[in-house]
Amino acid sequence: MEVRTRFAPSPTGYMHLGNLRTALYTYLYARRTGGKFILRIEDTDQKREVKDAVDVIYNSLKIAGLNHDEGPDVGGPCGPYVQSERKDTYMPYAKQLVESGHAYYCFCTKERLEEARAEAEAKGETFKYDKHCLHLSREEVQAKLDAGEPYVIRQNIPTEGKAGFDDVIYGHVEVDCDTLDDNVLIKADGLPTYNFANVIDDHLMGITHVMRGNEYLSSAPKYNLLYEALGWTPPTYVHLTPVMVEGTSKNKKTGEYLMATDEDGNPVLDENGNPVKAIVKRKMSKSQGDPSFEDLLSEGYLSEAIVNYLVLLGWSPRGEREFYTLKELEEVFDLEGLSKSPSFFSSEKMRWFNAEYIRKLTPEAYLGHATPWLEKVLDPAKFDFRRLGELLQNRTEVFSQLPDMVRFLAEMPEFSNDLYINKKQKSTLESAKTALTALRPVLEGISDWTEANLHDTVMAAIPGLGMKNGQVLWPMRIAISGQMSTPGGAFEIAYLLGKDETLRRLDASLARL
Ligand code: GLU
């Protein structure tokens, strides 16, 4: 049987990294098995809909290289692939379930439900619908429908017995039916809930493998009951363990941070006596400030690096190898390598992956990525970006670092003369002044301002000054860059700045010594 997998995001306006990882596994499994990868937009929760949010999904998948075989924008035999456009698909199945006794109309008012919920909560119990409307007679139901009373359709979960399903990661999962709530299948607005739509659509779209976050694990027994009631074969379930982070945690309602406490429950204070935020292990979350895919891209991470790192968060190729292109992953991905325990996203590891990917770019590709960042602070007509790129490539971890790394070229930073003092280079304030004074005419005498000429001329002049290389080159770098750490050394910087600017900076720095 042909494998058919689907990625079924809700349009939230951003691509959560955990969701992108789900998409990736879903895509890779389809490619590995020669199957089909389907994109379905789950937008039945109309309140949550964000304008342009669907475009974010298309763009994210495209940037990540996860091309779908069927979906809203590319079509396919099982369309439409947007749930709100499938509105009329669900009701007949809901009615079929009502007929067979697996579902029922519910006319309970919001007030009644809220009261019952409050009552349950007061007793410390989790609210479960009490099947109040299950006991309405056929005639009573019809009369209410005829009178136009608002209604929902609920799943009728058996009051006894067990419901379960098999999961590739979690094995056989089984729960007592009496712990399950009679979920709403069709809402008052006529749209299906996720709980219903996922079953109907996965079946109608011929999905063979459902991969999704394990937050759906506890509802999956209910979905299986629906498959059984409709006489359908359930798909193979793969509930993925979550992507976690270690980080601060804030209360979603109040926005207040969870604060660290010691064993006695007292606040932990920092050296200034201020309370310290607690660091907890929690699910990755945009609302807690963790980055989305778009956030990482806009900070200058390469999508290839993100994809490579993400795939390893929860899947192991069972070996030491860490670097894979998407194409290579399409050959080796398997369900057996999926992790049974949660994985942790580490910003440091992400950065490391990115730096490795940046290092491997061709100089042209590097420049392509770097140019927009360099242009934020440097005029491309004034600086040799190609040379700058060569000097920067191995030092770049994320592209967003670049403006700060090159800003000194656009504008001489303020700096302290203490920077001239360097024990290792045997540079003191006095030796720096002597060296720079002697260097001034040497530099002025160079007519063809190339790095090679700068190097050869200055190096040839140093012995005559009776100084060590470091005693000249160190202050030269400080005097023209204003900082200790620069991409390239004194010659490269002088070359990039050009003769006039180099001499201008040298004079200004000398005047301050
Ligand atoms: N729309 C669901 C979500 O975004 C998808 C769950 C599923 O894959 O079944 O979480």
Side-chain angles (χ1 to χ4, degrees):
M1 192 172 53
E2 182 187 61
V3 165
R4 287 174 64 82
T5 66
R6 91 300 193 271
F7 177 50
S10 302
T12 54
Y14 56 88
M15 182 63 75
H16 185 273
L17 289 177
N19 278 356
L20 184 61
R21 192 195 61 166
T22 303
L24 188 56
Y25 292 165
T26 311
Y27 165 85
L28 289 174
Y29 191 61
R31 289 291 168 267
R32 171 74 198 274
T33 54
K36 292 274 184 314
F37 172 56
I38 292 136
L39 173 65
R40 179 171 79 222
I41 304 294
E42 302 209 323
D43 61 346
T44 59
D45 192 355
Q46 300 268 327
K47 277 183 295 248
R48 263 175 57 175
E49 179 115 25
V50 184
K51 206 179 153 292
D52 301 332
V54 179
D55 286 338
V56 173
I57 296 171
Y58 296 146
N59 285 338
S60 306
L61 293 180
K62 202 166 172 184
I63 292 171
L66 312 184
N67 301 322
H68 44 281
D69 303 301
E70 296 172 30
D73 50 345
V74 296
C78 304
Y81 293 90
V82 179
Q83 283 183 335
S84 61
E85 291 170 21
R86 300 169 65 78
K87 202 172 173 216
D88 301 331
T89 305
Y90 309 101
M91 193 54 118
Y93 292 104
K95 286 192 173 153
Q96 184 186 328
L97 290 169
V98 171
E99 281 308 309
S100 62
H102 294 97
Y104 58 95
Y105 288 94
C106 170
F107 301 91
C108 284
T109 58
K110 227 170 144 190
E111 292 71 33
R112 178 178 187 274
L113 293 175
E114 268 163 20
E115 228 169 81
R117 188 179 298 276
E119 230 170 80
E121 273 166 15
K123 280 194 239 156
E125 293 167 5
T126 22
F127 170 71
K128 221 175 117 210
Y129 182 65
D130 60 2
K131 291 188 187 277
H132 180 78
C133 289
L134 178 62
H135 308 294
L136 294 172
S137 69
R138 236 182 195 313
E139 294 69 32
E140 284 171 310
V141 168
Q142 199 52 54
K144 284 176 183 291
L145 291 177
D146 292 344
E149 270 192 44
Y151 65 88
V152 299
I153 296 181
R154 287 183 186 273
Q155 184 174 358
N156 184 17
I157 307 267
T159 47
E160 46 192 43
K162 289 187 184 300
F165 67 98
D166 292 309
D167 186 89
V168 168
I169 309 235
Y170 291 86
H172 186 66
V173 178
E174 202 170 68
V175 293
D176 288 326
C177 285
D178 68 0
T179 62
L180 301 174
D181 191 15
D182 282 2
N183 271 154
V184 171
L185 302 179
I186 300 283
K187 298 181 285 184
D189 60 7
L191 283 172
T193 55
Y194 167 78
N195 290 322
F196 192 43
N198 90 87
V199 170
I200 304 298
D201 286 345
D202 284 341
H203 174 74
L204 294 180
M205 295 181 180
I207 302 303
T208 58
H209 292 72
V210 166
M211 296 190 198
R212 63 181 164 213
N214 74 350
E215 61 270 32
Y216 296 100
L217 203 56
S218 59
S219 309
K222 288 190 250 197
Y223 307 152
N224 238 39
L225 289 173
L226 289 174
Y227 278 101
E228 275 171 28
L230 291 161
W232 297 341
T233 313
T236 299
Y237 288 110
V238 189
H239 285 95
L240 302 164
T241 57
V243 180
M244 313 274 289
V245 279
E246 281 191 55
T248 56
S249 167
K250 57 182 173 199
N251 185 306
K252 278 203 178 126
K253 280 196 194 120
T254 62
E256 276 172 30
Y257 281 98
L258 186 72
M259 302 309 285
T261 49
D262 62 18
E263 300 104 65
D264 304 323
N266 299 318
V268 176
L269 306 176
D270 66 13
E271 62 269 24
N272 301 321
N274 297 318
V276 173
K277 288 175 194 150
I279 299 294
V280 297
K281 291 181 174 149
R282 55 163 176 77
K283 254 174 122 166
M284 233 189 155
S285 144
K286 171 95 176 151
S287 60
Q288 293 283 359
D290 302 324
S292 65
F293 182 46
E294 292 72 28
D295 291 336
L296 289 183
L297 292 173
S298 63
E299 280 169 37
Y301 285 85
L302 294 171
S303 67
E304 293 83 355
I306 304 173
V307 163
N308 194 155
Y309 178 47
L310 275 187
V311 83
L312 299 177
L313 278 181
W315 176 77
S316 154
R318 291 174 295 285
E320 294 301 305
R321 182 169 165 194
E322 284 192 291
F323 292 97
Y324 288 92
T325 64
L326 192 61
K327 272 271 157 295
E328 289 165 342
L329 289 167
E330 289 173 20
E331 305 289 319
V332 297
F333 181 79
D334 58 5
L335 299 182
E336 289 71 30
L338 287 171
S339 167
K340 295 186 175 12
S341 43
S343 38
F344 282 86
F345 178 89
S346 145
S347 316
E348 290 77 41
K349 188 82 199 243
M350 177 72 262
R351 222 176 149 89
W352 178 82
F353 256 101
N354 204 52
E356 292 293 318
Y357 267 82
I358 288 180
R359 220 160 284 162
K360 283 187 230 157
L361 291 173
T362 62
E364 294 70 36
Y366 176 84
L367 208 55
H369 286 284
T371 297
W373 292 96
L374 296 175
E375 281 178 347
K376 285 181 195 284
V377 286
L378 300 180
D379 179 351
K382 285 200 198 142
F383 292 92
D384 181 349
F385 275 22
R386 193 199 51 80
R387 180 66 185 129
L388 197 49
E390 286 169 2
L391 296 171
L392 287 166
Q393 184 161 1
N394 283 345
R395 306 174 140 239
T396 315
E397 292 181 331
V398 281
F399 286 103
S400 55
Q401 291 173 290
L402 293 185
D404 283 345
M405 284 166 78
V406 301
R407 188 165 283 116
F408 75 95
L409 291 170
E411 205 182 318
M412 183 69 182
E414 304 236 333
F415 71 102
S416 152
N417 282 345
D418 290 348
L419 295 192
Y420 290 116
I421 304 168
N422 184 320
K423 261 212 177 117
K424 201 168 139 231
Q425 309 290 353
K426 301 204 169 23
S427 175
T428 62
L429 287 178
E430 295 71 39
S431 72
K433 192 166 180 172
T434 313
L436 294 177
T437 311
L439 193 59
R440 176 67 170 81
V442 176
L443 292 177
E444 199 175 5
I446 300 174
S447 50
D448 188 9
W449 197 258
T450 63
E451 268 180 47
N453 279 348
L454 275 157
H455 173 273
D456 295 350
T457 315
V458 172
M459 294 311 271
I462 291 177
L465 304 175
M467 297 185 125
K468 300 240 179 280
N469 289 350
Q471 287 178 304
V472 177
L473 301 183
W474 178 260
M476 175 176 167
R477 182 211 301 240
I478 301 294
I480 63 175
S481 74
Q483 52 194 45
M484 294 200 292
S485 167
T486 50
F491 303 131
E492 288 84 355
I493 296 162
Y495 161 71
L496 287 166
L497 289 171
K499 186 171 177 179
D500 290 350
E501 178 64 8
T502 300
L503 292 178
R504 199 188 61 76
R505 288 185 178 199
L506 195 68
D507 290 340
S509 296
L510 253 177
R512 295 172 57 234
L513 255 172

